[in-house]
């Protein structure tokens, strides 16, 4: 009993450090983790630059192994310290954590799998999780809400853009020949989207007068069309704002929440004085 | 009399399946139709890719014939089951349906007419009709209303952009020579629109200092000018929104409409409990 | 006295036809004028296309002479029929009318001056004047007002963009060498504006890592910066709208104006029942 | 005592001319300074154009020396006439003034340092300071406030864009090979930002179908994403406006401020009738 308790205490300690950011240790862990993620991404970048890789290959390789071992320990610690490990393992972050740790190991078995290390870039998304630390969170969630609210409209819009692109792309394929680069309908559709979005690489460009006329129409359509997502998001932002000020006018319905995460179900946003998880009811480790 | 009735029943049944989406059969028909349209468009795309066409030509050709035969049957069924066939035949969708079915047949008479199959891309627009099925419709109609309301302003704007393009394009033709690609005034106008809309292919680019100076002015004008359609649409969206919330504040003026289409005049948006078409008064087939 | 009167009547008649659009004759004159301006612009365009000019040179040349003679007659009629000819001659439209008529004549004296015909493109602006005919005018003036109101802010903004471009362009000139196309500071500034406005021709593009890093910063700055004119114009549009609806809520302060122009001072916007010009008090020719 | 006073008077006079714009002399000094800054920037630009430098090198060199000497005198005068010279020396403008004056001198010691003259472009920013003269200031500060208010949101947004670019760039590096120009992950990230911001140089462009598919997704994401900063700034502008009109509705809380700068602490915005600096309390030189 005594032992189990101390075992639990040890697990709680690790959970607090890895999953939360209330204690000095937890904050330090998060900061070190972010730095290591950034360093690991930069190492992968540098390895892909031939001239740098030729000179510093050994250094980069060693650093990568050190970081991979740290990530391995972190991954194991995350599984051990949580009460429902499977929930973490099959969550988005759990899968990304695994996929960004494993490639270096299996690169000894399957040649070329090291390229999977690029998945590590996804770990950068964890930064947003850790951003709980800073006050930017409110801004980020406002952005997220505005985008979420305009999701349906933007889906309809993107679908309409795609259909227009298919029609105009097919038209350009018929008008322009192979010389101008319109070698197939998919390529023509690619060109249409490049033009509609005003990116305009210039790798494919119409050369016949008729093709240039249609291109002009595509551009002017794109010009009008670019206004649509902007209009949607702007109006949504406007509502967001006034919505917020309205809410803040309501009486005392806000309490301060901290960065504690439930060791059982990982839900977040607990009150400072909470002793039980609001979601699953299990006991939180307050100290 | 008995026979005519059963004949009518049979026609009604077909009409219900093809034009409406209330019954399970009707829903399935719509879903299969959308899938076939997508498949047929993808087949035409793949045929245009030389490397794929070289290998799988026979498979693609067979699939195209199967889909064309289905489309032919569908086209005939649409004409038979409706009470005023001419209205359908000369409607936008009727013409598109015909033009996207016929090319394969006449390709035996006129070589090259197969390229007309590209018109099939227009059938994708039918997706919007069938979208009645899903809740996105409200969003789509909001988008449509906002664009409709700003139509006049955008027309004036596009006309102004065109005149500016003609003037600046002519100016660039005089300043830049043939070397830079400004070979004629229409080409220069094409370049001006490519630049104004910030597409910027780079196939034609000024090389003299004076030309680059004017190009800079064109870009900065385009920069300011791109704000105009955005401003128009955004304000229109804002009005749309508030307009909607105002309407929804009015009392019970809404009834639920279904996807039934009148077999006589094809008008849509009938009440669930309607027995006669609100437009032409003919009897609807409720079951 | 009689003669002078008839002379006056004749002048009034011409003035009414050329400057106004109330009478059937006036409307026809405006429509023919617009068509001729369009035709003359298209002729100049076609002459600049070598392949077309080689075949149809004589036809185009003859048409150009016919139109030039019509424009000459129109120019003289405008001077004769107005009471203060100098005001017209030195107005913007007066100068454009002269410059777009004269080149063909002096092309016999100065070789190459025919290129000045391109100035004829400016006559297209007259379309906006004649647009008084249609209901788009209200939309156009709303656009104009919104742009006018945001003029000061957009000037400050453009000036800031220019200074940023000079600084960043100079920086790129130092970092990138001649190879990448950054041959001089003005060229680098040209590149910076091409990038900031997201046009991106690609005729000049950074090749060193440091250059690409700065280019990335320029693009992200441009990304944020493009929001500014849009924001300005959108807010201005919003105000415009609400301003208008406010005005229309006021009582009967609107009268219908027609397209009559004062034969003395050319001011427009007279009431239907006006007998004297609201601006200079001279008698209008109502019939 | 008498002498010190006259010395002080002399210093005050210089301070008034250089730092303020109330007196005719002060206004003239500011105007001449702006002109000289512009001229010096244009000289540096022209020197970088090989063809111009080859012909006019001596003229440009002489002009540069004359302006440098003027700037040197100005820099010394600024230090002498202010009561706390160190504050100026280590301010942003102080450093820019020094760095834009010194290169020509040290170019005799270190070859190539003349290139530092490009820093002189930063002096153009002084134009904004001198803009106090004109009424554009209000507009500029409104722009500044709107951008400042949306700073936090734009930071979050830019950070999200960067992470997306890293992930998509890495993906493109894996899919596309060296042939298409995706030679390393940093280069691929550069391409991703070039595409996301719709700049689209075309120096690097995908050639494989899979790469073009991902490029299409990047463009459509960029299309939706460009709406975000626009939405943020527009809403912020809207608030700015209504905020302003609200303030101006308040009672007489505005006094006219002039362009005087405190000779001790350089703070600006003093009331016309002020005799002491509102910031440090030292006496202002009113005359």
């Amino acid at each position: 009993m005594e032992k189990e308790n101390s075992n639990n205490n040890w697990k709680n300690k690790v959970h607090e450090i890895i999953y939360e950011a209330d204690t000095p240790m937890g904050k330090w862990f998060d900061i070190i983790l972010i730095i290591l993620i950034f360093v690991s991404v930069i190492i992968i970048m540098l390895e892909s630059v031939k001239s740098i890789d030729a000179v510093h290959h050994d250094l980069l390789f060693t650093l990568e192994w050190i970081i991979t071992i740290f990530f391995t320990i972190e991954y194991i610690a995350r599984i051990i310290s949580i009460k429902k490990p499977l929930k973490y393992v099959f969550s988005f972050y759990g899968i990304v954590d695994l996929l960004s740790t494993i490639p270096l190991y299996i690169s000894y078995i399957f040649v070329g799998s090291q390229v999977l290390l690029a998945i590590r870039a996804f770990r950068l998304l964890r930064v947003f999780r850790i951003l709980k630390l800073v006050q930017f969170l409110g801004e980020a969630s406002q952005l997220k809400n505005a985008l979420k609210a305009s999701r349906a409209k933007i889906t309809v819009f993107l679908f309409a853009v795609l259909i227009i692109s298919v029609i105009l792309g097919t038209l350009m394929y018929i008008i322009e020949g192979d010389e101008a680069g319109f070698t197939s309908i998919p390529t023509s559709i690619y060109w249409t989207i490049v033009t509609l979005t005003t990116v305009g690489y210039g790798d494919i460009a119409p050369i016949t007068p008729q093709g240039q006329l249609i291109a002009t129409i595509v551009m002017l359509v794109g010009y009008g069309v670019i206004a649509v997502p902007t209009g949607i998001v702007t109006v949504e932002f406007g509502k967001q704002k006034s919505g917020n000020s309205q809410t803040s006018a309501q009486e005392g319905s806000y309490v301060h929440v901290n960065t504690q995460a439930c060791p059982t179900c990982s839900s977040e946003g607990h009150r400072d004085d909470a002793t039980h998880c609001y979601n699953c009811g299990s006991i939180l480790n307050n100290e």
Side-chain angles (χ1 to χ4, degrees), chain A:
Chain A
M1 171 85 185
E2 180 88 321
K3 199 184 167 190
E4 194 190 285
N5 219 330
S6 85
N7 190 4
N8 249 346
N9 270 344
W10 174 80
K11 276 191 184 176
N12 279 347
K13 197 85 196 167
V14 172
H15 184 272
E16 203 172 83
I17 292 169
I18 298 185
Y19 285 94
E20 299 171 16
D22 291 286
T23 54
M25 283 283 283
K27 271 182 193 161
W28 274 108
F29 177 82
D30 278 356
I31 290 164
I32 289 168
L33 184 61
I34 285 194
I35 292 169
L36 279 178
I37 291 173
F38 269 102
V39 169
S40 78
V41 168
I42 287 164
I43 288 172
I44 294 169
M45 281 187 194
L46 293 180
E47 277 188 322
S48 77
V49 183
K50 273 105 207 161
S51 61
I52 294 174
D53 191 49
V55 182
H56 302 291
H57 184 267
D58 288 347
L59 174 67
L60 292 172
F61 190 72
T62 313
L63 278 173
E64 211 181 306
W65 263 111
I66 292 169
I67 288 170
T68 299
I69 287 163
F70 177 90
F71 282 177
T72 311
I73 294 167
E74 182 216 343
Y75 185 69
I76 292 165
R78 276 186 193 273
I79 290 177
I80 289 172
S81 69
I82 207 165
K83 276 176 190 149
K84 295 189 176 172
L86 284 184
K87 209 177 160 181
Y88 163 71
V89 170
F90 292 108
S91 71
F92 173 71
Y93 282 111
I95 291 165
V96 166
D97 287 356
L98 181 67
L99 286 179
S100 65
T101 310
I102 229 164
L104 206 57
Y105 294 111
I106 59 170
S107 69
Y108 286 98
I109 308 168
F110 305 104
V111 177
S113 68
Q114 205 167 343
V115 115
L116 281 171
L117 274 175
I119 290 164
R120 206 165 271 177
F122 281 98
R123 285 211 86 183
L124 284 175
L125 290 173
R126 192 171 279 275
V127 171
F128 282 112
R129 275 213 113 174
I130 300 173
L131 268 181
K132 284 183 298 184
L133 291 167
V134 297
Q135 83 268 43
F136 281 130
L137 191 64
E139 307 289 352
S141 82
Q142 248 184 54
L143 275 178
K144 217 172 64 187
N145 288 346
L147 288 178
K148 208 181 263 174
S150 36
R151 199 178 36 184
K153 238 181 245 80
I154 284 185
T155 306
V156 171
F157 167 73
L158 281 185
F159 195 73
V161 166
L162 272 176
I163 289 186
I164 293 172
S165 301
V166 170
I167 294 174
L168 289 172
T170 310
L171 215 63
M172 285 302 279
Y173 171 70
I174 297 170
I175 291 171
E176 293 278 336
D178 280 10
E179 308 150 66
F182 295 83
T183 51
S184 68
I185 294 181
T187 308
S188 296
I189 292 169
Y190 164 71
W191 171 86
T192 311
I193 290 175
V194 167
T195 303
L196 257 186
T197 55
T198 78
V199 171
Y201 287 129
D203 50 348
I204 308 167
I207 47 174
T208 64
Q210 307 94 292
Q212 294 187 340
L213 190 69
I214 300 217
T216 302
I217 292 166
V218 173
M219 283 171 230
L220 291 178
V221 166
Y223 213 42
V225 149
I226 209 169
V228 175
T230 310
I232 295 168
V233 174
T234 304
V235 170
E236 221 54 66
F237 264 120
K239 280 166 68 181
Q240 208 65 24
K241 292 269 177 183
S242 48
N244 274 6
S245 62
Q246 208 178 347
T247 332
S248 63
Q250 295 172 353
E251 317 118 53
S253 52
Y254 287 98
V255 291
H256 190 253
V257 298
N258 54 30
T259 66
Q260 280 199 312
C262 170
T264 308
C265 72
S266 292
S267 63
E268 287 164 354
H270 301 287
R271 301 171 56 133
D272 272 344
D273 55 351
T275 51
H276 288 73
C277 172
Y278 67 85
N279 188 29
C280 68
S282 60
I283 295 166
L284 301 171
N285 42 344
N286 302 81
E287 289 180 29

